[in-house]
Every structure is written in C-alpha cells, then in structure tokens.
Amino acid sequence: MTAFSIIGKSVKRNDLIDKVTGSAKYVADMQFPGLLYGKTLRSNVAHARILRIDASRALALPGVKAVLTHSDVPRVLHAGSPHPRSASLSCDQYILDDKVRFWGESVAVVAATSEEIAEEALGLIQVEYELLPAVFTVEEALRPGAPLVHDLGPGGNQVLDPVTCQRGDVEKGFQEADLILEGDYEGGRPVPAYMEPNVCTCQWDPTGGLTVWISTQTSFMVRGIMAEVLGLPLNKVRVLVDHMGGGFGAKQDLFQTEFLCALLARKTGRPVRMEFTREETFLGGRTRHPARIWLKQGFKKDGTITARQARIVYTSGAYGSHGPGVTNVGTTALASLYRCENIHVVGSCVYTNTPIAGAFRGFGVVQAYYALDIQMDEAAVALGMDPAELKLRNAVREGDVAPSGHPLIGHGLEDCIRRGKEEVGWEALRSRERDEHGPVRRGWGLGCEMHGSSAYPGIKEQGNAIVKMNEDGTVVLFTGTAGLGTGTHTVQAQIVAEEIGVTFESVSVVHGDTDAVPWDIGAFASHTTYMGGRVAQMAAAEVKAQLVARAALQQAVDPSQIEVRDGVVSVKGTDRSVSVREVMMPKRGIPAPQFVGSATYHPTKSYSFAAHFVEVAVDIETGAVKVLQVVPVHEVGKVIHPVAAAGQIEGGIQQGIGHTLYEDFQIDLKTGRSLNPNFVDYKMPLFMDMPTIRTVLLETAPDPGGPWGAKGIGEDPIVAIGPAIANAIYDAIGVRFHHYPIKPEQVLAALQEREGGAQ
Amino acid sequence: MKSFDYFEPHSLEEAVGLQQQGQGRGCWLAGGTDLLVQMKEHVRQPGLVINLKKIRGLDDFHFDSVTGLRLGALVTAREVETSPLAHQHYAGLARACTDFASIQVRNRATVVGNICRASPSADTLPPLLADDASLCIHGPRGTRTVALEGFCTAPGRTILAPDEIVTHVLVPAPAPGTAKVYLKHGRREQMELATVGVAVSLTMSRGRCSRLGIVLGAVAPTPLRVPTAEALLLDEEPTRDRVHAAAAAAAQACQPISDVRASAGYRRQMVEVLTRRALVQALEVLR
Amino acid sequence: MNQVINLTLNGEPRTLMVACHRTLLDTLRLEGGLTGTKKGCDVGECGSCTIIMNGKLVNACLVLAVEANGAEIITIEGIQRSALELHPLQENFIKYGAAQCGFCTPGFIVAAKALLDENPRPTIDEIRFAMAGNICRCTGYTKIVQAVDETAREMQENGREAL
Ligand SMILES: Cc1cc2nc3c(=O)[nH]c(=O)nc-3n(C[C@H](O)[C@H](O)[C@H](O)COP(=O)(O)OP(=O)(O)OC[C@H]3O[C@@H](n4cnc5c(N)ncnc54)[C@H](O)[C@@H]3O)c2cc1C
Ligand code: FES
Ligand code: FES
C-alpha cells in the first residue's frame, strides 16, 4: 500500500465526546430500580481461622436485606485470574473461606437499601478469630518450618516451581570476564491506583440469567469463571462493560466481589451494586509484585557481556493471582535486552500474608529491567565507557532469541538509543561542565527496555473480530476488546476503515457485551493493537474482498482492477469511479448484499523497544529528587494514532516516576496491617511534579504479526523510566541506588554515609 | 457518615445555645474539610452539626497598620492566599495558605478551622505563632482573648470548651524591617501534609535582630516555638555562623516521631536545613 | 434528619429532599441524576468530584448537601453551551487527547473552566498550579496542559464573548 488515508492520523476518538460531557456511564453511574448496595467486611488480622461469625445484629438492622459469610456461599476453589488459555494458574481462592490470609481480606458481605446502612451493618457483625502465625516478608516465608499461607502448590510458600532460563555456560563466561559485577536489587510495592474504584452490579432475570455490569479488562474471563463457579451455562451469564476508569492490568482479576454481588442479588431478588471505597482498592485490589533480584554479570574490557546469572524472587502476597505469569515473563526477560551467550536465571514467587500482587503494567519486567539496566550503567562506569555506548554495543537485535523463544525482528533498541542521543545532545551532556554551586545537582540518565505485545507463550492467545458492511457502505466492527481508556476502539476503527478503504467516520464499533461480540481474551499484555487490531484488519479484509467482487461485477472488470479508497471505488487506469454506497445499494431488483467478515487470529509475540533519557535535579541537603525532563524514544513498528500513542507513553511515565520516587504501599511487618491505603499517604506524582516530556515515536522495526507492522506500547514506558531515573541520580550525585522507591531520606542518608566514608 | 441533626444558627448566642442543648455532642462546622473527613472515617460521630457559616460578622478580613490583622472564623485559606495585603505583611501565613491542599480545598478550608483542628502538621499554625497571634473566643460566659501559644494542647486538642467558638484570629502589625518566611517540606510540590514546616518571623533594626519567632510544625505534638534557637540570634548580628547555630538548636529542640511520611531522624535533619534556609531567606528579603 | 433544599443546578432551579449526613456529591449523583461528577476517593484528595459552587471550585465530596441550600451549582453537565455545542475546553480535551479513561475528565474540565473564568490567559505554570488538586492516572498531564493552554489561546483570539 502507498500512503495511508487514516492510519497515522490522530482522528477524533470515538469514546471521548461522552467523557468530556459527563454523559459517559461508568458502572457506578447506572441507576436501577430497587438497587441494593453491597459492602464488604474486611479482616483486621493478617492470618487467622474464623471460629464464629455472628451477623444477627446486622440482619436485624432496618434496611439490611442479606448477609453472606463463608458458610453461605459455594465452596469452589478457583484462580483469581482464571485466564482460560493460560499455561500456569494458581487455583487457590474461594469466594469466601473460613480462613483469612491477609489484613483486609473479605470476611462477609451485606446488602442494604443504602450505602450508609450497609456500612453501619458491617460494624454490627462480630467475628471471632483464632490467630495463626503469619509471614510478611520473603525471608520469613522461606525460613524452614515457616507457617504456610496455603497447603497447596509445590510446597513451602512457593506459588509455583522455580522457573529456570538457561543457555550457554555461565561458569565459562565468568572465567572469560575482565570485570564481574554482582549486586542485590529490590522493587517495592506500588499499586495501579486507577481512578475508578472497582465496581460491579449484578441482576438476575426471571429465566435464571445473570447480568453483570462491571469495570473489567477481561469480560469473557469474568463470564467464564462466574458461570463455572455459580454452575451456569455461558449463555446465562451476560457481562457488560462500557466505559471504565482505568485498570492498568489489575482489572484482569476477579476480586471475589463479583461472585458475592451475584449471590447477594440472587438471595434478595434485587439488583445489587458493590463499589470499592478508595481504601478497598488498596486492601482488596492488586499491587505490583515486590521483588528481590540478585544479579551477576561478567564483562570483557570492550564491554561485551560474557555471562549473566540471576535469581529473582517475587512476592505474591496471600494469593497466586498473576504470580506464575509474572515469574515466567520477568525471569525470561532477564535473558534478553542486552545480548549474552551464557545465561542462568532462576525466578520464583512466594506467598506471604500481605495484600495480593497481580497484573500491573510492566508485568514482572519492571523489576527485572530495573536491576539489569542499572547494572549496565554500573558496568559502564567501571569500564570507563559511556553507558549509552555500552548499551548500544550489547543491545539485542535482528535474529537474537527473544524471551518468547522467537528471533527478534529489526534493530529497534539500537534505533531508540541512537535517536535519543541525538535528541538530547548526549555527547555534549556527557562532557558538560558541572554546576557545583548551591544545594542542587543535576544529572542525566538513560534507561532501556523491551516489552512483548501479547502474553504468548504463557498464554496461547486468540483474537476474534466480526466486521459487517451495511447497505449504505457504512461499517460496524464487533470486538470483544475492552476499552479501558487507551482509545483502542478508535484505533481498531481506523484499521478497519483503512483496510476496506472507507472513511473513519463510517466505521462504528460495538463492544462490551459478551452476548453480542465475539470472544476476546481481554485487554492486557500490550496486545490490543497488535492482536485486536490485526484481527479486525483480517475481518475487514474479508468484507473488502466481497465489496471488490461486487464492484468488479458491476463494472465488468477483473477484481484486480478495483481500488477502494476513502469511500470511493475506482477502476484502475480509468477515470471511472463510484462511491462505496452506490456499490452496495440495491440495483435493478438485486437486493443490497449483507457483507460479513469474521476472523480469528492466534498471534505469537512481537517486541517493542524504548530508551528513555531523563534529567533529574537532586537537592543534596534534603535528598529530594525532581525529574526535570524526559525524552522517551519508542520503537512501535507502526503508529496508528499518534496522540493516543504518545498518551500511553506520557501516562506510563507518570506511573513510572511514581513508583521510582514516590509510591510505596506500606505494610506493617509486625501485624500485616496496611499503613497507607489512601491517597493522603500513597503519593502519586501530581501536575506540579511532572516533568516536560518530549516523546519520539519510531517505526523502524515493524512486526508482520501486527496491523501494518504495529506493535504494542501500553507497558513499555513504565519499564524504561525507572532505571533512567536511578541512573540520572547517579550521574547527579555519584550515589548508586538499587531499589525503588528511592526516598529523599535514603538519598540524604547515602550522601552522608559517603561523606562519612570520605572523611 | 452516621446521621446527625444539622443547624445553621444566625448568631453566636444561638450557636452556643444549640451546643448547650445538645449537651456538647455537637460539632462546629466551618469549611468542613477536616470535620467531614473525620466523620467519614468514624473518628468523630457528632449527634449534631452546627454550621457557623450563617453567623454574621465571622467573615471579616481586616488589616490596619497599627492594630494588625483580624481574620474572622469564616475566612478561607484561599482568601488569604489571594490577598495582596496578606502577602505584603504576613508572607509566612500567605505562603502557608498557598502551599496548602488544592484550590478546591482552600476555597472551603478556614484558617480558624485549621487552628482549631490542632493538627501537629497544620500549616497556618507555625507562621501565626511566629507572629504572636491571639484568638478571640466566644462562649456562654462572654468573650475572651487568648494567646495562640498554648491554645493547642495535644494533637487534635485545644483549650476550647465544647460550647466555645473561636470568632477571630488577631495578628499584630509587623514592625518596619520585618520579614516572614514559611517553608514546608513534603514529597510533592502540592497536595502535601507537611513532614516538617518551619516559620520564621524576623525583625532587624540597626543591623541586629530585634525580634524573632522560629516555630516548627509536624515535629512535636503541637507546633513548637524554639526560644533556644531564637536566643542565639536575638540582639545579635545575624552572621552565617549564628544562623547555622540557631538552625542546629532548632533541630536539637524538636521532638519528631517516625511514621509513614518520614522517620524522626530525617525530620530532625530537615528542621535544621529548613530553619537555616528560612532564616537566610528572611535576611535576603530584608537586604 | 432530612431537609428540603432549593438550589440552582446548572441553571435550573431544583428542590431536593436530602438526608443531612449525605454529601453534595452523593446527592448530585443519586438524587440529582448528575453522574458526570465522579467519586474517586471521597475525602478531597483526587478532584474527580470537582464542581463550581457559588462561583468557587470545590470538592463535592467535602460539602454536605444541606449546605448547598440556596447555592448555584455548576457540574460537568452544565459546561456545554447547548445540547449540540461543546465548550472549547471539551473540544480541546478531545483534540489533544487530554482524556483517556475519562474518569478524571469532568473534574479537570470543571477546574479548567473555573481557572479560565478567573484568569483568561494563564501561564503553563499557572495551569499546573490550578489543577494540583486533580489526579489523572492515565495521561501523565502533558496533554491536559496542552488542551487548557490551547483553549485559553483560542478564546482570547475569538474574544471572550465566545464563552
Ligand atoms: C485534601 C485535603 C488536603 C489538606 N491539606 C492540608 C494542608 O496542606 N495543610 C493543612 O494544614 N491542612 C490541610 N488539610 C486540612 C484542612 O483543610 C484544614 O485543617 C482546614 O483549615 C480546616 O478548616 P475547615 O474550615 O475546613 O474546618 P472544619 O473541618 O469545619 O473544622 C475543623 C475543626 O475545627 C473546629 N472548628 C472550626 N471552626 C471553629 C471555630 N470557629 N471555633 C471552634 N472550633 C472550630 C471544628 O469543629 C472541627 O473540629 C487538608 C484537608 C484535605 C481534605
Ligand atoms: S472524590 Fe472528592 S476529591 Fe476525590
Ligand atoms: S483519563 Fe483516566 S484518570 Fe485521567
């Protein structure tokens, strides 16, 4: 194809008009006659057996319609994130159990005629616990004889058997090294903090069908597991998702609330809504996996990496959720990014009595590449090299084996580093004169990453789409992809319009109704454009073929002579043209056709790349770090909607700055209590804390698996920004941090320690 | 929130009468930015809420170069923030009211409510204390004026009886040659509760420091004035060494705790840095 | 205790029966049928519930409904000029991609409107300062500044009457 008509243009997103006018209906905005409000009683102990629950006083409160405890709900063991095609699941959850495994776990639920009454009722439920010894850290959980969080799984407090990724001979590699670096790295516990608290509404119809309105990234997974646990056929569970207020990965799980909401609705015969409070999004939501990484690498004098050995331990919290996926993806990621022949990496994941870690943008890779990229920076210093040069020299490239086992396509990472160097004038920055006056020191850092689009090979993915053309030439796309805010429905409509050759405005999108749209695995793993976009393109191509055939017949030419563009059908090499509408219209007694295209796509995986160049300012008297500017360079194969793509990058950078410098969900290590489950003390960067961001998008390594080569972008930015900041802090003050979040008082303590050492 | 009865009295007498009828189970409501949060979090569950906003005379905002500043109980942080007079004569207070929550909150939050909440980290308290502010209190036995110093007795506690209302805060007029600074330390630029706050109110005459208030916020159960630090500069030429010594004395005097926001040790170090910076800034203003 | 309140909601006089312990936010959403104003935290920290009350920007979650008796309230539903015509801020939030999931968007647009009412040509720093009480977790804020700045520029060019 020559020039694009729609791809690469920032068309008006089709979901935004509702959002800017306030008319977009999120689940909590929907009114239902007779609606009841459900609320959850959460445990105030971290590990205990429930001896007795007395809900009689709550039930006696006027307005309370039902209370459910573990003895009132089906006891079905299920996975918190039951991806139907996942290779590794941890089946370790009940709807409600007679045990609690973390502070804040659901113990009972109430449905009442108002939120206030439901809340008051919670205070009237008495729970008697038998306390059990608990483990809050990896050390405690792995100690021989440690209390067990579950009596399932491979034993000990392991969520899964350790994952090993090996090639070559690391011992030999280390023997060949001129320099060996070894270090411990640690990632904290940030949370996604989407602005819309988790919410669902359930209603049963007289035929025994259940309708669920829910804020989820994975409506078909919700349907599947709810049907299974509640014993219903799939056609009796209808899941509806229209607008949702962010998810960032975490809204791939079920939060027990969904089942409880359905059961409360069944018991009361009325619609029930359960909406988390902000505090509950911390306690009952999902966090990133805290991680410990031991990493050792060998280098030749010229910077070549001779060996890489690592152990990475993820903390899963009280349930497995995405632990297996995160462990696999994060562990195998350590075998890539920077080339190395001799690799031995072992990843594991451990249960503790803490809130549940789940999927969150960057999925295990944030932690892994934070360690790897910082250690590359350390190696550059030790070798007396420019870190950008060292990273360029070792950057993975065309033909190298990716974490998924595939050969990589193109030179995306090298392109990002080179372009970024030019953008910021890296050479000049490296040799600039340092301003040592006053308390502020400035520094520049580079952080690199790569991230897969799709969860392959961990999940054998499948995308589906149906496209139909109406008799006036307009088009409807049916997709199961959830619109969690990224603009994916616009992007898919652009793809369909471009593929068929009609205008963007003539394509509308039906989504968010499991009874109406084809099955979808969910919106996650940076795959909505790569997989959802590609399959929409495939279905559109089928419609186009039918359109071309009809036009060819009408024009009495060979189909190869027909060209369709911007809603106009023309015959090549002639000035004959008609509109798509005219082609479709009934003619001479021949009715208008119904063109339907459908497609199924089983993608493998592509990799996107990024290099972030970051400038920070460090106040050496207070330890405060401020990010001044970021130049993110991303290689994404093909840019479909530039504004939406840049928006993903800027948003990812906000979250990444947050987890690197500010955000820390803290757990009391004596009791397991959450110390800051609120926005007062869980600090995300706000308007005034954000740097200027100058985004650069590259299309140098398109992947044939995506539409016109397009790859994912959702997760990449949050991975690269962290090490870039840590490396910039080193450049500013010469102090190396191996953990996040890097807090001002740690910066100050490190500076003072160094000074003490120097004296 | 638990249910409660709600009243909007039009006079102080009516307000006090309502509180007495309610046998002290009532709460005064000004901006509500503390009270509503506390009620939602079940920290307080008053039987009645008495809104002060309809009481006449509580919204005055008056400055006189002799008698000083008179702020009524309904004056909001945003009004102080946007007042050129406040910036000119009470720069510390104006800064505290600017580096405070968000515009949305500042449009509701009153300065007097901030005082009466008696939070260790309340932003308006250090600059007001550094300026020797006092409070007018109305109660069943009439009106009294008390020094702000000593008003807060513990976190969330004051000397007020339940049926007493603070009607005004009074701040003396600044002497010529006075500079005021408030520095707040937090992780974010805005929307932060202070991990440390330092207010300095400094008057120079003939090259020497003739009056000085140094007050620390968020490092003791109540805002802490530090006479030991002030003494090192009073009646002296503010040399670099003396400024540093005063800052060190402030750090010595504070009694910080460790919590999720910061450790005690870090808070103490920040007291030293911020006190020094505040003094230096005040001296620069006067230069 | 319940109370009847009279107020002007987006220019329309309304009478509502409210419980004294209900916030204005819950009342707008439940009794007022105005669900554009969102609840992200319920304690003043996120700005999703931002509305204009008697000309002042406030968090509806920190106001009791009874306090709104006699008040004039503008919510996101009252920003549009007419059913068919968007406010320039709304146009530019779309054009510049200043909304993603959209949950924070009503709060931001209302805050931006209050800012431009008060200060028609704010600097970039003034825009950032004025919106410090609104959290967006999706956009990274860059595009929100662009949208507000561009709106201010356009409105100045087209004359204030365009408002
Ligand atoms: C999001 C958010 C951010 C915040 N950020 C900050 C910050 O940065 N710095 C800071 O210092 N505070 C902050 N606060 C706290 C709060 O805004 C202030 O303490 C505010 O000044 C309280 O004033 P108010 O008028 O809202 O008081 P209210 O909530 O109405 O009252 C507070 C207390 O004082 C009592 N009271 C009020 N007026 C009187 C009176 N006239 N006489 C006797 N008693 C009275 C009330 O009964 C109540 O106990 C923040 C609050 C929120 C919600
Ligand atoms: S809901 Fe009111 S500020 Fe968050
Ligand atoms: S657009 Fe999602 S929070 Fe702002």
Side-chain angles (χ1 to χ4, degrees):
Chain A
M1 179 169 295
T2 50
F4 290 98
S5 297
I6 300 156
I7 296 303
K9 298 211 166 65
S10 295
V11 296
K12 254 193 194 183
R13 267 177 61 175
N14 49 27
D15 58 329
L16 291 188
I17 193 149
D18 276 353
K19 291 174 177 175
V20 300
T21 55
S23 54
K25 291 276 177 264
Y26 298 76
V27 175
D29 300 336
M30 298 174 191
Q31 308 283 9
F32 296 81
L35 181 69
L36 297 177
Y37 299 82
K39 286 248 167 235
T40 305
L41 178 71
R42 294 182 177 276
S43 69
N44 56 3
V45 293
H47 197 194
R49 190 172 303 286
I50 297 170
L51 297 178
R52 204 175 59 86
I53 303 183
D54 180 357
S56 54
R57 286 176 59 215
L59 274 165
L61 188 71
V64 172
K65 298 298 176 191
V67 177
L68 297 176
T69 71
H70 66 86
S71 51
D72 309 314
V73 302
R75 190 172 170 79
V76 183
L77 196 62
H78 65 274
S81 178
H83 277 299
R85 287 172 170 77
S86 175
S88 47
L89 282 179
S90 31
C91 228
D92 56 11
Q93 265 183 244
Y94 295 99
I95 298 177
L96 290 175
D97 199 357
D98 58 359
K99 238 182 162 189
V100 295
R101 296 183 173 84
F102 67 99
W103 184 297
E105 182 160 9
S106 318
V107 173
V109 286
V110 172
T113 50
S114 79
E115 265 195 291
E116 290 92 342
I117 296 172
E119 196 179 298
E120 193 177 340
L122 295 183
L124 299 174
I125 300 175
Q126 284 174 326
V127 187
E128 205 180 306
Y129 294 106
E130 177 199 308
L131 292 187
L132 300 171
V135 290
F136 301 120
T137 63
V138 168
E139 287 71 39
E140 288 171 8
L142 293 181
R143 207 169 282 154
L148 293 183
V149 181
H150 292 273
D151 35 23
L152 301 157
N157 279 309
Q158 302 281 349
V159 177
L160 71 166
D161 285 320
V163 174
T164 303
C165 177
Q166 194 168 3
R167 66 171 174 255
D169 178 348
V170 278
E171 283 318 314
K172 185 170 138 280
F174 283 124
Q175 277 161 19
E176 289 165 3
D178 298 316
L179 167 74
I180 292 177
L181 287 181
E182 181 178 343
D184 291 299
Y185 301 80
E186 187 168 359
R189 185 183 271 117
V191 303
Y194 32 76
M195 290 311 296
E196 178 201 30
N198 305 60
V199 57
C200 69
T201 301
C202 290
Q203 185 167 31
W204 295 81
D205 61 43
T207 71
L210 170 67
T211 305
V212 184
W213 292 261
I214 181 172
S215 177
T216 184
Q217 296 172 229
T218 45
S219 51
F220 283 92
M221 192 175 85
V222 170
R223 180 183 74 164
I225 193 69
M226 286 187 78
E228 185 182 323
V229 171
L230 300 172
L232 296 166
L234 291 178
N235 69 338
K236 285 289 175 193
V237 183
R238 181 179 182 201
V239 178
L240 297 170
V241 191
D242 190 357
H243 294 292
M244 67 181 287
F248 310 118
K251 285 184 186 165
Q252 281 175 65
D253 276 28
L254 278 89
F255 298 82
Q256 284 153 311
T257 334
E258 300 80 3
F259 306 108
L260 291 163
C261 190
L263 292 168
L264 283 171
R266 183 148 76 183
K267 184 151 185 187
T268 58
R270 288 168 66 167
V272 177
R273 174 156 81 220
M274 295 190 76
E275 185 184 0
F276 277 13
T277 61
R278 180 50 62 185
E279 182 181 36
E280 286 183 290
T281 66
F282 284 86
L283 301 179
R286 298 292 178 265
T287 74
R288 186 180 302 294
H289 288 74
R292 294 278 176 81
I293 299 151
W294 169 81
L295 174 64
K296 178 177 170 186
Q297 291 185 99
F299 297 85
K300 289 259 192 221
K301 279 202 189 75
D302 67 0
T304 310
I305 305 170
T306 61
R308 180 178 306 143
Q309 195 177 2
R311 282 190 300 274
I312 181 161
V313 185
Y314 294 99
T315 304
S316 192
Y319 292 92
S321 178
H322 282 267
V326 159
T327 308
N328 274 293
V329 173
T331 305
T332 50
L334 277 176
S336 193
L337 190 62
Y338 300 115
R339 320 172 91 176
C340 178
E341 295 302 321
N342 304 306
I343 298 244
H344 188 256
V345 190
V346 182
S348 54
C349 190
V350 175
Y351 287 122
T352 55
N353 295 108
T354 56
I356 307 169
F360 179 11
R361 198 176 204 172
F363 207 80
V365 179
V366 164
Q367 299 92 322
Y369 285 169
Y370 191 74
L372 180 57
D373 195 81
I374 290 175
Q375 194 171 77
M376 291 298 285
D377 216 68
E378 294 173 79
V381 173
L383 295 165
M385 283 177 79
D386 170 359
E389 277 313 311
L390 181 68
K391 290 174 186 180
L392 256 180
R393 165 182 287 271
N394 291 292
V396 289
R397 61 199 65 167
E398 175 88 29
D400 289 355
V401 182
S404 61
H406 287 78
L408 285 172
I409 295 169
H411 296 261
L413 182 54
E414 296 154 88
D415 296 338
C416 289
I417 299 174
R418 286 205 182 93
R419 176 63 184 273
K421 282 180 67 182
E422 278 169 33
E423 286 288 328
V424 302
W426 183 253
E427 309 294 345
L429 285 174
R430 296 268 312 154
S431 57
R432 76 194 185 279
E433 193 139 337
R434 303 286 180 136
D435 183 1
E436 305 270 295
H437 297 289
V440 176
R441 300 285 177 277
R442 290 178 169 213
W444 277 89
L446 161 64
C448 298
E449 68 88 50
M450 60 195 273
H451 201 79
S453 326
S454 107
Y456 184 90
I459 298 178
K460 304 291 181 285
E461 298 212 3
Q462 185 200 87
N464 299 293
I466 298 172
V467 172
K468 66 174 193 180
M469 184 169 270
N470 298 319
E471 58 270 31
D472 66 351
T474 58
V475 177
V476 185
L477 163 70
F478 294 77
T479 174
T481 306
L484 70 164
T486 57
T488 184
H489 298 139
T490 299
V491 162
Q492 293 190 16
Q494 282 180 279
I495 290 169
V496 168
E498 185 77 53
E499 179 66 30
I500 300 178
V502 294
T503 61
F504 170 70
E505 290 71 24
S506 57
V507 180
S508 53
V509 182
V510 174
H511 60 91
D513 179 348
T514 54
D515 272 1
V517 298
W519 189 89
D520 186 85
I521 197 160
F524 58 83
S526 302
H527 69 193
T528 56
T529 299
Y530 177 70
M531 178 178 76
R534 176 75 184 112
V535 75
Q537 184 188 18
M538 288 160 63
E542 292 207 351
V543 168
K544 174 155 190 187
Q546 297 169 59
L547 174 72
V548 166
R550 182 173 165 98
L553 206 65
Q554 288 172 353
Q555 298 293 333
V557 296
D558 188 78
S560 65
Q561 293 303 107
I562 297 289
E563 211 171 40
V564 190
R565 199 178 168 91
D566 301 329
V568 177
V569 179
S570 44
V571 181
K572 280 184 203 163
T574 72
D575 54 4
R576 276 153 62 197
S577 70
V578 291
S579 68
V580 170
R581 180 191 161 86
E582 284 172 86
V583 174
M584 292 298 285
M585 281 293 171
K587 273 198 194 80
R588 293 183 216 103
I590 306 167
Q594 170 73 84
F595 291 155
V596 178
S598 76
T600 292
Y601 177 38
H602 295 275
T604 57
K605 194 170 195 130
S606 70
Y607 283 86
S608 304
F609 301 90
H612 284 197
F613 291 76
V614 170
E615 185 185 22
V616 300
V618 185
D619 184 327
I620 57 172
E621 291 179 355
T622 64
V625 177
K626 186 162 170 65
V627 182
L628 299 176
Q629 57 172 317
V630 184
V631 178
V633 186
H634 283 254
E635 196 291 306
V636 298
K638 179 81 206 159
V639 182
I640 311 283
H641 189 295
V643 164
Q648 285 302 301
I649 293 169
E650 290 156 10
I653 287 174
Q654 187 263 11
Q655 295 179 354
I657 291 176
H659 77 223
T660 310
L661 295 176
Y662 302 83
E663 298 177 28
D664 192 17
F665 179 28
Q666 296 181 41
I667 308 299
D668 178 17
L669 295 183
K670 290 199 190 74
T671 61
R673 189 169 70 91
S674 297
L675 296 175
N676 55 342
N678 53 59
F679 284 164
V680 182
D681 283 311
Y682 184 84
K683 299 199 178 300
M684 294 172 279
L686 300 178
F687 229 125
M688 303 275 287
D689 307 299
M690 285 298 289
T692 45
I693 301 173
R694 195 150 46 86
T695 303
V696 181
L697 295 169
L698 302 181
E699 300 179 327
T700 56
D703 189 288
W708 295 287
K711 307 184 285 192
I713 192 157
E715 296 178 88
D716 296 79
I718 204 172
V719 185
I721 182 76
I725 292 173
N727 294 337
I729 293 175
Y730 177 81
D731 186 53
I733 58 173
V735 177
R736 193 56 86 173
F737 291 98
H738 279 183
H739 73 283
Y740 63 79
I742 304 170
K743 298 185 184 182
E745 63 178 285
Q746 295 162 337
V747 174
L748 192 64
L751 281 165
Q752 285 166 347
E753 192 178 312
R754 187 184 58 179
E755 220 134 87
Q759 272 161 17
Chain B
M1 278 187 280
K2 280 260 177 68
S3 70
F4 50 76
D5 292 340
Y6 173 83
F7 297 96
E8 293 183 349
H10 288 262
S11 70
L12 289 167
E13 291 67 31
E14 196 190 332
V16 170
L18 282 165
Q19 183 70 285
Q20 289 179 322
Q21 279 164 31
Q23 285 144 6
R25 283 163 49 248
C27 264
W28 307 128
L29 169 73
T33 61
D34 274 324
L35 186 59
L36 261 64
V37 174
Q38 289 187 322
M39 292 196 299
K40 289 178 186 197
E41 292 172 351
H42 306 298
V43 179
R44 299 175 84 173
Q45 302 193 339
L48 68 160
V49 168
I50 306 166
N51 189 351
L52 304 177
K53 283 199 262 319
K54 294 276 158 68
I55 299 177
R56 269 175 300 276
L58 292 189
D59 56 356
D60 52 340
F61 186 142
H62 183 78
F63 174 73
D64 178 296
S65 59
V66 179
T67 55
L69 181 69
R70 187 179 150 87
L71 288 183
L74 296 179
V75 173
T76 62
R78 180 79 174 153
E79 286 173 76
V80 176
E81 171 197 356
T82 53
S83 153
L85 271 176
H87 280 274
Q88 191 181 344
H89 303 291
Y90 302 95
L93 179 65
R95 187 82 247 155
C97 287
T98 307
D99 292 348
F100 182 114
S102 58
I103 291 183
Q104 289 94 318
V105 170
R106 298 199 292 280
N107 273 332
R108 300 284 293 172
T110 62
V111 173
V112 169
N114 193 239
I115 296 169
C116 294
R117 163 71 178 84
S119 161
S121 64
D123 280 314
T124 66
L125 282 170
L128 287 169
L129 284 162
D131 277 353
D132 291 323
S134 53
L135 302 175
C136 300
I137 299 174
H138 179 91
R141 286 158 302 282
T143 298
R144 59 182 175 136
T145 302
V146 301
L148 179 58
E149 177 121 43
F151 176 77
C152 301
T153 54
R157 290 186 189 276
T158 68
I159 61 164
L160 279 185
D163 53 9
E164 288 186 304
I165 300 175
V166 174
T167 61
H168 291 88
V169 51
L170 308 175
V171 201
T178 300
K180 300 173 183 186
V181 174
Y182 177 64
L183 294 181
K184 173 174 178 172
H185 183 72
R187 296 277 288 285
R188 297 194 296 215
E189 298 267 326
Q190 283 281 310
M191 286 301 281
E192 255 309 4
L193 298 178
T195 40
V196 174
V198 176
V200 161
S201 172
L202 178 151
T203 309
M204 294 287 290
S205 63
R206 276 172 269 120
R208 284 171 194 276
C209 175
S210 58
R211 190 196 158 275
L212 179 60
I214 301 177
V215 184
L216 314 176
V219 288
T222 60
L224 190 69
R225 183 147 184 177
V226 274
T228 47
E230 294 169 9
L232 294 170
L233 286 164
L234 268 178
D235 300 322
E236 302 281 359
E237 210 180 296
T239 59
R240 188 170 175 272
D241 285 353
R242 287 202 186 96
V243 164
H244 283 232
Q252 270 284 299
C254 66
Q255 311 144 26
I257 55 160
S258 296
D259 61 15
V260 284
R261 290 176 203 151
S263 72
Y266 181 70
R267 282 195 159 100
R268 192 182 293 282
Q269 294 186 42
M270 286 310 99
V271 166
E272 180 160 355
V273 173
L274 265 61
T275 305
R276 171 167 50 74
R277 288 184 180 180
L279 285 166
V280 169
Q281 268 189 34
L283 289 166
E284 266 166 19
V285 170
L286 292 174
R287 203 174 303 132
Chain C
M1 184 174 166
N2 289 342
Q3 207 162 303
V4 174
I5 60 169
N6 293 300
L7 71 172
T8 311
L9 265 182
N10 297 324
E12 229 180 272
R14 295 279 294 268
T15 300
L16 299 173
M17 170 72 114
V18 300
C20 291
H21 61 290
R22 274 258 159 100
T23 60
L24 183 54
L25 174 60
D26 287 341
T27 302
L28 288 172
R29 291 176 52 79
L30 291 169
E31 276 90 20
L34 297 172
T35 53
T37 308
K38 303 294 183 216
K39 187 194 286 188
C41 72
D42 212 23
V43 291
E45 289 284 339
C46 75
S48 312
C49 66
T50 301
I51 58 164
I52 299 174
M53 176 166 163
N54 296 326
K56 297 216 152 58
L57 203 64
V58 302
N59 298 313
C61 70
L62 292 183
V63 178
L64 293 175
V66 278
E67 292 186 81
N69 193 12
E72 192 160 322
I73 306 276
I74 298 173
T75 68
I76 184 67
E77 290 90 347
I79 299 287
Q80 240 167 301
R81 292 162 166 183
S82 67
L84 294 177
E85 197 187 354
L86 295 182
H87 187 279
L89 276 166
Q90 295 171 314
E91 291 283 2
N92 283 320
F93 264 63
I94 298 177
K95 181 167 165 198
Y96 289 92
Q100 285 183 27
C101 80
F103 199 79
C104 70
T105 308
F108 270 99
I109 290 181
V110 172
K113 160 142 172 60
L115 168 67
L116 298 186
D117 285 350
E118 216 174 271
N119 178 1
R121 196 67 184 98
T123 63
I124 297 293
D125 280 344
E126 283 168 344
I127 295 171
R128 288 153 53 103
F129 179 75
M131 306 216 170
N134 293 72
I135 302 179
C136 176
R137 192 57 161 169
C138 295
T139 64
Y141 304 100
T142 311
K143 300 206 174 327
I144 298 175
V145 185
Q146 272 178 9
V148 178
D149 182 49
E150 185 56 27
T151 306
R153 202 185 55 71
E154 274 173 21
M155 287 191 356
Q156 199 174 40
E157 272 174 18
N158 303 341
R160 295 285 297 166
E161 313 78 65
L163 253 181

